[in-house]
Amino acid sequence: QVQLVESGGGSVQAGGSLRLSCASSGYNLLDFKAWFRQAPGQEREGVAAIATTGVTYYRDSVNGRFTISQDNADNTLYLDMDTLKSEDTAMYYCAARRPGSGQWFGPINAASYHYWGQGTQVTVSS
């Protein structure tokens, strides 16, 4: 049973920074990992993804401000968020893909992922 647990969310003023963490347990051979977010009344959207090779993908609105990384030694995924804007306010979820199974819809498409955390809230005030 794979478990993903996010932490690091909080409230910050516009222009500030936060670091989100996602600890995984239960299965070490995961494929792509990613961060998604969902604001009230909106659909969940992909923010950033990272392959096992270290190649990264970002949605246009966060490119240059957010950085996804992973520590393979302790199975932790990170999202460093800088120059935060009010429109970044959302619940942030980490996700992971089981290798070699299921359809592939792209690195920041939620349908590509099998495992999800419970989310951590990020609130940016202007």
Side-chain angles (χ1 to χ4, degrees):
Q1 182 78 14
V2 174
Q3 288 191 322
L4 303 176
V5 180
E6 302 97 335
S7 61
S11 297
V12 64
Q13 289 192 328
S17 301
L18 280 175
R19 176 178 239 204
L20 305 184
S21 299
C22 174
S24 65
S25 61
Y27 187 64
N28 293 334
L29 299 179
L30 296 169
D31 194 358
F32 275 75
K33 295 181 180 178
W35 288 96
F36 290 79
R37 66 187 181 188
Q38 188 169 19
Q42 298 186 21
E43 292 188 355
R44 188 169 298 191
E45 62 183 21
V47 175
I50 186 166
T52 53
T53 58
V55 176
T56 56
Y57 306 83
Y58 298 93
R59 70 179 300 107
D60 288 346
S61 62
V62 307
N63 198 16
R65 299 189 296 121
F66 291 11
T67 304
I68 188 171
S69 62
Q70 59 185 350
D71 184 334
N72 292 322
D74 62 5
N75 296 316
T76 303
L77 181 71
Y78 299 101
L79 184 68
D80 289 294
M81 305 184 294
D82 296 317
T83 319
L84 282 160
K85 305 176 181 180
S86 57
E87 51 263 44
D88 295 318
T89 295
M91 184 72 78
Y92 282 70
Y93 300 89
C94 69
R97 176 176 169 84
R98 190 170 58 242
S101 63
Q103 287 187 282
W104 177 245
F105 297 92
I108 54 172
N109 187 311
S112 296
Y113 292 86
H114 304 100
Y115 306 109
W116 293 86
Q118 294 300 306
T120 185
Q121 178 68 37
V122 172
T123 302
V124 184
S125 57
S126 57

